[in-house]
Structure formats: C-alpha cells, structure tokens
Amino acid sequence: MMISLQILSPLPSSHFINPNPLSLQCSKNPNFYPKSFSETPYLVKSTHTHFLSFPKNSNLKLKTSPRLKLSVQFQRLICYGVKDSDEETKAVVDSGGDGGGGGGGGGGGDDGDGDGDWEMEKKDGILPEWLNFTTDDAKTLFAAVAVSLAFRSFVAEPRFIPSLSMYPTFDVGDRVFSEKVSYYFRKPCVNDIVIFKSPPVLQEVGYTDDDVFIKRIVAKEGDTVEVHEGKLIVNGVMRSEKFILEPPSYELTPIHVPENSVFVMGDNRNNSYDSHVWGPLPAKNIIGRSIFRYWPPYRIGRTVLETGCAVDKQDSTSSSK
C-alpha cells in the first residue's frame, strides 16, 4: 500500500523549530524517539536542514535524502545519550564540513559530503579503572588482610631455614610450615622441632626479638640433661637419636631444666649454637612448631616424629622405676 505525503507550504518564521540538534528536548516516553508530535508526521523546513519526527510504531515508509537521514539519526543519538545511560555521556559528531551554515558542528554537514563519523566518549576519572574501589571492594580487601594477619599470628606461618644447625633434618633454603595451635592446649614435648625468639641471655650479647632460631627439644622442665662420650643422657637414660648428623664431640655436665623451660639442641650437634652453650630456653619464647616441609619439592614431607610425646612418657616410666 502506497501512502502519499503532502509537503506543507513554508510556515512563517515565528513557527519554525530551531534546527540545532543540541537544543532538542528528548521525550521520556519510550514509544517515541524524539519529542512527541501529533499522529500525522510533519516535515518542518528551515534554511539549514530538515528534521522528521514521527511515532516509533508508525508503518509509514518515506523516501528521504541522505541529509535528512543524517538529521534524524543525529537527533536519535542525542536522545539515547540522555535516556539510556546512567553515566554522563557526550555525543560527538565529526561531519567533515567547513563548520558553516547552522553554526558549530551541527551545521557543518551542509558544506561537506554529508558522511559523519560518530563516537561515544565516556568521561573517565583521574584514577585508572582498577583503582576505583567501591565500599564493598574496600570491605573485602580489609577482611582478606585481617584474616591473613590473624592466620599468621595465631595459626601458622611459613619459615625459611638459614643455616646448617639442623642438618640433615633441614638444609639451607628449606621452607617449613610452623603451626601455633598445639601449645594453646599442651606443653612442648621432647623431639618437637620448635621455632623461637632469642632468649634473654642471647639478647644480652646483641640478639633481638627479631632474631629467630629453630632447634629440637631434647628435655623438658624438671629433666636433667648431660652429654658424655658422645651420648645424650636425660634423667640417667641414654637417648637413641637416629636423626642427628654425628655424635657430639663435647662434654656437658648435668644441667637441671627449670620450670616453664625446655632444653633445645640442633641435629648437627657439633655445629649448633644451642642450649649446651647458653642454657635452657624459656617456653614463652617459643613461636611455633615445625610440622611440614613444603620446599624443595623433592623433600616435601612431615617434620614430626611418629613417636611424638611418647618419649616423655617413657622417661616418666623409667624415672618411676
């Protein structure tokens, strides 16, 4: 079905609509592209360009010039920029003309070839997008940092082995996990490998709380320790230690371990700065217990002996007899 379109005669200048697209007001009604008019489409003519406005659901088919199409599309672009975006947007049209006619960028199409390049530019903030934190992002980051710090302070943390004092159990560069939960419920046991801060006797000669050591507990509070002829003797009982590098080459006279203290020694007995030099270690200086070596890969495994605290029970039984 063909519908003819009658072109009305030019209206007086007082009835002309301002052809500047930037001054058009967009309708909030979703059924229309630009500002709503009457049901019958009108063609309004000015000295600069042509604008066509009609209902969105209209079935009219019009044959229009390229210049008319450009005007209608530009008017829609302005409307969509206002209606569809939650952020402030800017529509920029480069018509390629000389900028004459309608004044500014809107009228440049009259003198050019009529083909415009359109571009939507979003106004960005000063900071990069990945630094634009929301409140939820900040809460998540804070919670992650708090959990991480709490885990390291009260549960477990990784440790690096800096020396050969515990060789062959640990080599230089090994990395272990030190857990801190066990000693909330029990006292340190014999054969526990513990990480501890330097005791007061070492701080008197220049060490600080930041200096951390790793040794094996060989005796607990109330025990008597001595080394004789390359053997470790605790409470008169000779210990069988298969994990040491070699028997100690020194002699140690009997030492009584005071309350709330332990006696620690390195598995490399002849190359370890431990309790046989500076005395018993206060239990309060213990930070944690080594339970697992995770580096290097070919040495991954537990660092806790299967006997565990069973040695303490054996010593107690032997002393009672």
Side-chain angles (χ1 to χ4, degrees):
M1 179 178 179
M2 209 53 189
I3 298 178
S4 59
L5 180 66
Q6 180 178 3
I7 306 300
L8 300 179
S9 58
L11 298 176
S13 58
S14 60
H15 292 83
F16 283 168
I17 298 176
N18 187 358
N20 188 350
L22 297 179
S23 65
L24 294 177
Q25 301 296 322
C26 299
S27 172
K28 300 297 182 180
N29 189 336
N31 294 322
F32 292 85
Y33 288 118
K35 184 176 180 180
S36 59
F37 290 89
S38 61
E39 296 183 358
T40 304
Y42 290 96
L43 183 64
V44 182
K45 182 177 180 183
S46 69
T47 58
H48 302 288
T49 185
H50 297 78
F51 292 90
L52 184 63
S53 302
F54 54 88
K56 189 175 183 179
N57 57 358
S58 175
N59 295 324
L60 295 177
K61 297 183 179 180
L62 305 177
K63 184 175 181 181
T64 58
S65 66
R67 186 173 300 176
L68 181 59
K69 289 181 179 179
L70 176 62
S71 300
V72 174
Q73 290 175 348
F74 184 75
Q75 188 176 12
R76 292 176 182 175
L77 177 62
I78 298 298
C79 292
Y80 291 153
V82 173
K83 181 175 65 175
D84 295 338
S85 176
D86 292 335
E87 300 178 0
E88 184 178 1
T89 57
K90 179 176 65 175
V92 179
V93 176
D94 183 7
S95 62
D98 294 334
D110 289 339
D111 296 330
D113 56 3
D115 295 332
D117 295 332
W118 300 344
E119 161 180 25
M120 300 295 293
E121 294 182 357
K122 179 180 178 181
K123 290 187 177 180
D124 296 330
I126 299 176
L127 297 176
E129 184 177 355
W130 63 273
L131 284 179
N132 291 330
F133 289 107
T134 64
T135 303
D136 291 339
D137 293 336
K139 291 179 179 179
T140 302
L141 180 61
F142 177 79
V145 172
V147 169
S148 177
L149 292 177
F151 186 86
R152 288 180 62 95
S153 299
F154 302 105
V155 181
E157 64 179 331
R159 286 289 178 179
F160 173 82
I161 306 302
S163 71
L164 290 171
S165 66
M166 283 295 293
Y167 187 81
T169 303
F170 295 131
D171 201 351
V172 174
D174 286 1
R175 288 173 169 81
V176 299
F177 273 120
S178 168
E179 65 90 10
K180 306 180 179 184
V181 179
S182 298
Y183 297 147
Y184 295 148
F185 306 100
R186 68 170 178 86
K187 292 184 177 181
C189 291
V190 171
N191 283 333
D192 282 353
I193 299 176
V194 293
I195 292 92
F196 57 91
K197 298 182 295 184
S198 58
V201 65
L202 293 183
Q203 295 188 22
E204 291 176 0
V205 295
Y207 289 92
T208 67
D209 282 340
D210 295 331
D211 296 314
V212 177
F213 300 84
I214 181 168
K215 307 292 180 187
R216 187 186 297 273
I217 297 177
V218 298
K220 63 184 187 308
E221 61 180 11
D223 291 341
T224 300
V225 185
E226 60 180 306
V227 176
H228 182 62
E229 294 181 353
K231 300 295 183 180
L232 174 66
I233 302 172
V234 180
N235 297 330
V237 179
M238 187 180 300
R239 288 280 177 81
S240 175
E241 301 177 304
K242 298 180 180 180
F243 44 76
I244 64 175
L245 177 63
E246 57 187 3
S249 58
Y250 52 83
E251 293 288 318
L252 178 66
T253 58
I255 297 177
H256 179 75
V257 181
E259 186 178 3
N260 296 323
S261 298
V262 293
F263 201 88
V264 296
M265 300 178 74
D267 290 351
N268 188 355
R269 294 291 161 83
N270 295 316
N271 188 24
S272 176
Y273 189 52
D274 52 33
S275 289
H276 90 275
V277 177
W278 42 261
L281 170 72
K284 66 180 182 180
N285 284 59
I286 296 177
I287 299 174
R289 176 178 68 123
S290 172
I291 58 173
F292 187 79
R293 175 176 41 235
Y294 66 92
W295 188 265
Y298 61 87
R299 284 167 58 84
I300 290 177
R302 296 179 62 206
T303 60
V304 179
L305 294 181
E306 295 180 359
T307 55
C309 293
V311 176
D312 292 341
K313 297 177 182 179
Q314 293 176 3
D315 290 345
S316 300
T317 303
S318 299
S319 299
S320 62
K321 291 180 179 178

